[in-house]
Amino acid sequence: MTPEPTELITGIRELTTQTDGAPRLADAALVIADGRIAWIGPASAAPAADLRTDVGGRAALPGWVDSHTHLVFAGDRAAEFEARMGGQPYAAGGILTTVAATRAATEAQLRAAASRLRQEAEAQGTTFLESKTGYGLDLASEVRSARVAASVADVVTFLGAHIVPPGIDRRDYLDLVTGPMLAAVAPHARFIDAFCEVGAFDVEESREVLEAGRAAGLGLRLHGNQLGFSGGVRLAVEIGAASVDHCNHLEPADIDALAASATVATLLPACDLSTRQPFAPARRLLDAGASIALATNCNPGSSFTTSMAFCVATAVLQMGLTIEEAVWAATRGGARALGRDTGSDAVGVLRVGGRADLQVLDAPSVAHLAYRPGVPLTWAVWRQGVRAGGHSPAPLPA
Ligand code: NIG
């Protein structure tokens, strides 16, 4: 097999690597070979490569790691959104509107829609993302959603426990989710999740679902404390979940529990805005020593965006994070929430030997992500060493 040409990317004014030793370098370059980073260092010392791409004094950083999305769905809930902006509260009930539309769609339609969202995300710098099932909620529809998710996302999470669908008794549905549905979906999934909230599943039901998933070999994550003090955060920590997502309503004891644990608090600022929930207490979590991730929660009901940059800007401008903290949470933090922040297949970090998943901004520093909110700054994206998105001319000037 002919080896792929090596590529030198130079002219990087500010390189955010997210490595522990040297998280940020000035006037840097890197070399990509076979989809991985072969060299990183000062531009003045860069080795030769087959191709040379000069990014002209722009900032480079790892591609975004979006650790919470629901990409597999059909239909649109703009009317529900509009009513909410007119004062209606967000309630989990809207999920059933999407379940009906999703069940009515063909697998090809679901795949096309999910893949369009994946491309939209990639064009904006996302190089690794998770997607959940959860809009099928019967055995055949959940398996189909898992297949579609596996075809567009890097990591699949089984969310049969999103809400109890109509026409089935609650206990029967839990038996289905933890039994035949789990058995059928598990081969396509890496994680199991549950929506632990009033109107969805309580703490003991969520525990039952996650324990069944663990017994089937899946990792654990949980939607918790989105609309109230659901007890989800405490459950996630107690059960050793990789991540607990939303975290809008936290008591001091929840923050202490997260800080003393390896569970990542995944915060979803676009969802907080779109549901008019109070922002998750990002500053208090970080100050207490908890790990946080930022993710889009792309879904048609509570957060219809694929823009990680919007989440980063919001986290800085509204949630009290520094730029460095927000960018870390949207890259390495997301990777940690997915159990992918260490080892040879780590994402969200640029290091020699690691995956060449990176983006270049049309800006000299990552500060511009919040300094110029709303401006599409993604200029070029490489995913596993291959150009994947951004608005720069392709190929770039040598
Ligand atoms: O993460 N919270 C539960 N699930 C989604 C919302 C789903 C919907 O409203 O369709 C979320 O926000």
Side-chain angles (χ1 to χ4, degrees):
M1 244 174 48
T2 330
E4 288 291 316
T6 57
E7 181 172 10
L8 166 67
I9 300 176
T10 190
I12 304 173
R13 178 170 166 161
E14 175 196 270
L15 176 63
T16 301
T17 63
Q18 305 297 31
T19 54
D20 297 332
R24 211 177 265 187
L25 305 172
D27 299 320
L30 57 85
V31 174
I32 298 173
D34 292 327
R36 294 195 167 257
I37 309 277
W39 184 89
I40 295 184
S44 57
D50 301 323
L51 306 171
R52 182 176 188 277
T53 298
D54 189 336
V55 300
R58 293 178 169 84
L61 68 158
W64 304 125
V65 178
D66 191 349
S67 60
H68 183 139
T69 81
H70 306 247
L71 295 192
V72 187
F73 64 87
D76 170 277
R77 280 161 56 197
E80 176 192 318
F81 175 77
E82 201 171 343
R84 193 155 69 239
M85 297 304 109
Q88 293 295 313
Y90 173 77
I95 294 169
L96 293 177
T97 309
T98 302
V99 169
T102 303
R103 287 180 180 173
T106 66
E107 185 160 341
Q109 287 167 333
L110 293 175
R111 183 168 286 122
S115 135
R116 195 183 62 73
L117 290 171
R118 169 83 207 219
Q119 282 162 24
E120 187 181 282
E122 206 161 84
Q124 299 172 84
T126 299
T127 50
F128 195 86
L129 64 75
E130 178 259 21
S131 177
K132 300 172 202 305
T133 69
Y135 290 120
L137 307 189
D138 60 36
L139 195 148
S141 306
E142 279 296 301
V143 174
R144 191 172 72 145
S145 293
R147 272 199 306 269
V148 172
S151 72
V152 298
D154 301 284
V155 174
V156 177
T157 298
F158 169 43
L159 183 57
H162 203 180
I163 199 167
V164 179
I168 183 166
D169 165 79
R170 190 169 189 86
R171 183 64 251 168
D172 290 346
Y173 188 64
L174 276 164
D175 289 342
L176 176 66
V177 169
T178 56
M181 194 188 275
L182 172 60
V185 172
H188 306 283
R190 164 77 186 85
F191 287 97
I192 189 163
D193 197 345
F195 185 16
C196 183
E197 203 67 59
V198 173
F201 295 90
D202 68 20
V203 168
E204 285 320 309
E205 291 167 338
S206 301
R207 184 195 304 277
E208 182 183 340
V209 170
L210 296 196
E211 288 293 9
R214 184 183 350 242
L218 300 181
L220 313 182
R221 40 204 330 106
L222 190 68
H223 284 61
N225 299 51
Q226 175 185 6
L227 306 173
F229 296 94
S230 69
V233 166
R234 235 70 70 78
L235 170 64
V237 168
E238 185 196 321
I239 205 166
S243 175
V244 58
D245 302 36
H246 288 285
C247 300
N248 298 83
H249 299 273
L250 299 185
E251 291 166 341
D254 295 317
I255 295 182
D256 292 346
L258 282 164
S261 78
T263 301
V264 175
T266 297
L267 313 183
L268 310 166
C271 176
D272 304 345
L273 287 170
S274 294
T275 55
R276 295 194 170 155
Q277 283 292 306
F279 284 114
R283 187 71 266 151
R284 281 163 56 211
L285 283 161
L286 279 183
D287 290 347
S291 277
I292 66 163
L294 290 171
T296 64
N297 187 19
C298 179
N299 77 78
S302 65
S303 184
F304 198 10
T305 182
T306 49
S307 174
M308 286 292 283
F310 176 76
C311 297
V312 166
T314 306
V316 173
L317 298 173
Q318 295 282 320
M319 297 165 81
L321 296 197
T322 66
I323 287 154
E324 203 176 308
E325 288 165 342
V327 170
W328 192 95
T331 52
R332 212 149 166 211
R336 185 171 289 176
L338 294 172
R340 290 290 293 264
D341 65 324
T342 57
S344 62
D345 269 329
V347 292
V349 61
L350 297 175
R351 63 159 73 100
V352 172
R355 280 169 61 122
D357 288 355
L358 65 142
Q359 55 177 320
V360 173
L361 304 179
D362 197 2
S365 73
V366 290
H368 282 238
L369 287 161
Y371 177 46
R372 307 197 65 217
V375 176
L377 290 180
T378 311
W379 195 68
V381 181
W382 283 257
R383 181 164 181 266
Q384 295 192 275
V386 175
R387 276 296 297 279
H391 60 263
S392 72
L396 292 169

